[in-house]
Amino acid sequence: MPRSYAKSLFAAAACLAATSAAASCPNYADYSRTYHEPASEGAFRLSSMRPEPACRTFNSTGVEDAIQRLKGQIWDPDLFRLFENTFPNTLDTAIKWRGVAANNTEEELCFVITGDINAMWVRDSANQIAPYKAVMKSASDDIASVFRGVINLQARYLVVSPYCNAFHPPVEANMPAGGSGGVYSVTPPYDRKFVFTCNFELDDFGGFLQLSHDYYTATGDVSFFGKFQWIYAIQSIMAASEAMRQPSYGPGGEWLKPAYTFQSQTMSAFGTLGNNGMGNPINDTGLIRSPFRPSDDSATFDLLIPGNMMMARYLNSTADIMERLPNAPKGLAQQMRDMADEVREAIKDYGIVTGPHGKRMYAYEVDGFGGRILMDDANIPSLLSAPFLGFLEKDDEIYKNTREFVLSRKNPWYCSGPVINTVGSPHIRPGAAWPMAAIMAIMTTDNDGEIIRSLKELVQSTDGLGLIHESVDSFSASRWTRQWFTWANGLFGQMILDLEQRKPFLLQESFQPIFIDKE
Ligand SMILES: *[C@@H]1O[C@H](CO)[C@@H](O)[C@H](O)[C@H]1NC(C)=O
Ligand SMILES: *[C@@H]1O[C@H](CO)[C@@H](O)[C@H](O)[C@H]1NC(C)=O
Ligand SMILES: *[C@@H]1O[C@H](CO)[C@@H](O)[C@H](O)[C@H]1NC(C)=O
Ligand SMILES: *[C@@H]1O[C@H](CO)[C@@H](O)[C@H](O)[C@H]1NC(C)=O
């Protein structure tokens, strides 16, 4: 994500209108910071946060239908307002440009911004669009075109610069770039006219694979994947992943120069890599390095277990697509499955440790030499999200032990207080809980009491603005970061639609601080 650190760095370059719509449309970075009538009818009097229809950046009938349907199902007026504001937020505000490739009018492209910088993050755009799979029934739905456009543009980015994470608008969009990403020294080198920032984060690959899987399973449209650059993107991902599995020392003990290094001028220790841009040494494990975390912060140990879980799951799932493409290179689907199996095996061998509660659990990061860090970060992929990623089942013993640790004060990044109790992130500070983690806690439990408690905390922690913030001080809802965070907003909507399927009766509950009579 282009979060606070990036924001301050590039503030000058970042003053952009929220949408490409009429000049009279407000900048959503400002709009989402102020209150708009009519307020919801509950005690929290949540603001209306949808831009007026003419200012929305994409209209989807499936999404509008879902909002209408849920209106009849959610009893609590504040909970409904939160859903109504958040679920369409990416489509309302972040679809910056749609079009087709200059050399192929069949190839749809969709440029999605994360917020106030005119750049597209591979991981964020995947997560921003993914919640809409719930309303995608076929390849002819309006929303399906957004999925194809994002997958095609991500594929273009990944073919050219698989080690990079955020990119400028495509030339076809004829748009100004969102500034230069700052002062960096990175290998392999990249084209700064094409790339915005080049932090290697394994979940960029995971996000692309997941979105591909989502589109395929929702629409059954396999031929799409054979038409444009998808196969090349997979080859690029496979080659870079293999290079990022290389250990720091060869069999004879000789040092091996890493495939990727990164250094930047920054105030933040998490904004650059130690050891002259190489990070800490890693052993030969079969796991794939992720020098940067899903928060964009640098890793302590490069072998990020949640990112590897995501790769194991989605390389295996998308091998099913590859296998069905007549023009796929021979053996590629099998290579994808093999890598998925090896990574899964390595997670078992190197990623499971004994926690401070004396139980077997997953570590957040390891180095393969015995180094490990026991924590979880709210950003997804996280350890908490392992069942959401489809890597394991909710009732997996080691997952249950891990979850117990993650959602307790044994996790150094767990934040507790009267407003919200959930996981935070070194990306902000201790004591700043991330609502995204409370949403993920709901999606990974069957315990009604826990779900109700988390929903209640989410409803009471928006500072009346009716959007999901990046972080909220666990002692004060008015101290939050990032007013315009479409990823977390979409995830909130996805969670409500998941409850509609799994536990519709919970949507009939009140989340008010006191009894109210709705009539
Ligand atoms: C969405 O619909 C409104 C009318 O309801 C229209 O004014 C607006 O231009 C549409 N947005 C897009 C991106 O098509
Ligand atoms: C279009 O251009 C891309 C490079 O941007 C290239 O990889 C692709 O093969 C071209 N497609 C066609 C149909 O020429
Ligand atoms: C890999 O994918 C296949 C086919 O979809 C599935 O049957 C299998 O269970 C998956 N393997 C794992 C370890 O999830
Ligand atoms: C490093 O990895 C090798 C296998 O690749 C293994 O034999 C060795 O035990 C590992 N070192 C440590 C300290 O775990």
Side-chain angles (χ1 to χ4, degrees), residues 130-142:
Y132 303 118
K133 69 183 171 208
V135 300
M136 180 165 59
K137 302 286 178 251
S138 88
S140 55
D141 287 354
D142 47 21

Side-chain angles (χ1 to χ4, degrees), residues 165-495:
N165 65 324
F167 296 85
H168 294 305
V171 285
E172 289 90 339
N174 200 15
M175 278 177 167
S180 83
V183 183
Y184 295 113
S185 165
V186 179
T187 51
Y190 56 88
D191 177 0
R192 283 167 195 252
K193 290 206 278 301
F194 185 70
V195 169
F196 179 68
T197 50
C198 197
N199 301 48
F200 183 85
E201 305 163 329
L202 188 54
D203 56 308
D204 288 329
F205 294 172
F208 174 76
L209 298 172
Q210 180 190 333
L211 205 63
S212 301
H213 166 81
D214 289 347
Y215 177 78
Y216 168 64
T217 48
T219 66
D221 177 13
V222 74
S223 66
F224 160 71
F225 295 95
K227 286 183 191 155
F228 311 111
Q229 309 212 37
W230 191 80
I231 294 173
Y232 302 120
I234 298 288
Q235 289 177 307
S236 183
I237 285 175
M238 292 296 288
S241 298
E242 199 52 62
M244 293 301 278
R245 292 211 283 186
Q246 179 191 267
S248 301
Y249 305 101
E254 71 283 15
W255 171 67
L256 306 172
K257 191 176 184 338
Y260 168 88
T261 68
F262 178 103
Q263 285 180 289
S264 85
Q265 274 185 16
T266 171
M267 296 277 284
S268 162
F270 280 117
T272 188
L273 301 183
N275 186 22
N276 290 308
M278 293 182 278
N280 284 315
I282 57 157
N283 195 14
D284 190 8
T285 62
L287 295 166
I288 308 166
R289 282 176 61 202
S290 186
F292 287 92
R293 292 176 175 169
S295 62
D296 284 354
D297 291 339
S298 60
T300 302
F301 298 115
D302 278 6
L303 304 175
L304 172 75
I305 298 302
N308 276 279
M309 287 175 166
M310 194 177 194
M311 285 299 277
R313 159 70 205 276
Y314 286 109
L315 269 178
N316 185 52
S317 301
T318 49
D320 292 358
I321 302 175
M322 192 61 81
E323 190 171 65
R324 296 189 52 197
L325 298 177
N327 54 337
K330 206 161 169 296
L332 184 51
Q334 192 54 46
Q335 284 166 31
M336 293 165 77
R337 291 212 174 93
D338 291 347
M339 189 183 284
D341 287 348
E342 289 160 19
V343 168
R344 184 175 281 273
E345 209 43 48
I347 291 172
K348 242 188 263 159
D349 292 346
Y350 291 92
I352 300 172
V353 301
T354 301
H357 51 7
K359 299 178 187 171
R360 301 294 284 164
M361 59 170 268
Y362 289 105
Y364 186 65
E365 288 166 351
V366 299
D367 65 0
F369 291 109
R372 81 277 295 268
I373 178 159
L374 302 189
M375 59 169 269
D376 202 18
D377 181 303
N379 285 273
I380 302 160
S382 57
L383 291 175
L384 182 61
S385 68
F388 172 84
L389 301 174
F391 178 77
L392 44 66
E393 300 292 331
K394 284 201 273 281
D395 59 3
D396 180 286
E397 234 11 80
I398 295 176
Y399 174 71
K400 284 197 291 189
N401 296 341
T402 308
R403 194 175 192 280
E404 179 189 333
F405 162 86
V406 166
L407 296 177
S408 80
R409 291 183 61 187
K410 291 190 165 62
N411 171 8
W413 291 98
Y414 185 76
C415 309
S416 49
V419 175
I420 181 164
N421 293 270
T422 195
V423 183
S425 168
H427 194 70
I428 302 295
R429 62 166 168 83
W434 284 45
M436 179 184 275
I439 297 168
M440 190 45 62
I442 294 172
M443 296 183 88
T444 54
T445 186
D446 290 321
N447 181 319
D448 294 353
E450 185 186 350
I451 294 173
I452 289 172
R453 211 163 43 245
S454 294
L455 281 173
K456 208 170 173 138
E457 293 186 354
L458 286 164
V459 170
Q460 75 184 16
S461 64
T462 79
D463 196 20
L465 289 164
L467 289 172
I468 301 297
H469 291 133
E470 177 188 53
S471 77
V472 177
D473 189 298
S474 60
F475 279 80
S476 167
S478 64
R479 287 206 296 268
W480 47 262
T481 58
R482 219 167 163 203
Q483 69 277 20
W484 182 18
F485 189 25
T486 71
W487 173 6
N489 283 320
L491 189 69
F492 182 86
Q494 185 176 353
M495 174 272 288

Side-chain angles (χ1 to χ4, degrees), residues 1-11 117 121 196 296 427:
M1 289 173 254
R3 295 140 242 240
S4 34
Y5 144 67
K7 235 187 301 185
S8 55
L9 204 60
F10 316 130
I117 299 173
W121 266 248
F196 179 68
D296 284 354
H427 194 70

Side-chain angles (χ1 to χ4, degrees), residues 53-54 56-59:
R56 295 177 190 165
T57 58
F58 188 83
N59 296 312

